[in-house]
Amino acid sequence: MLPPIPSWDGLHPLIVHFPIALLLAAPLFVILGMLPGRHARAFSIAGLVLMALGTAAAFVAVSTGEAAGELVVRTPEISAALERHEELAETTRTLFAALTII
């Protein structure tokens, strides 16, 4: 049997790795798509798909992270670290959303 699916606030550690992997791979495909060659169009499309999926996963990761952050016992140090983590996540989400649209 499969283990039960975690609640929304418990999904963050599982979800967060998808945008990281997809958004790290996407620039490589975009660059390969800019090079002359017969597969340039395929690389460009693959780069766009990776960016779109990575951006969508970033939105889900931010949402699950916000839910998980509400469960944490806060100290000043933990609050500062979580605030920085949240700012970086939101910056990444916004930046890649803009890049995907462009």
Side-chain angles (χ1 to χ4, degrees), residues 30-77:
V30 170
I31 290 169
L32 289 172
M34 289 188 228
L35 299 175
R38 55 183 219 163
H39 298 295
R41 181 170 167 81
F43 282 124
S44 294
I45 292 169
L48 178 61
V49 168
L50 287 172
M51 285 184 67
L53 290 174
T55 300
F59 276 90
V60 175
V62 168
S63 179
T64 59
E66 288 172 349
E70 293 176 9
L71 301 177
V72 175
V73 176
R74 303 277 178 144
T75 65
E77 294 83 12

Side-chain angles (χ1 to χ4, degrees), residues 10-36:
L11 281 175
H12 185 68
L14 300 172
I15 298 293
V16 73
H17 296 94
F18 289 102
I20 292 171
L22 295 171
L23 296 176
L24 281 174
L28 173 65
F29 283 86
V30 170
I31 290 169
L32 289 172
M34 289 188 228
L35 299 175

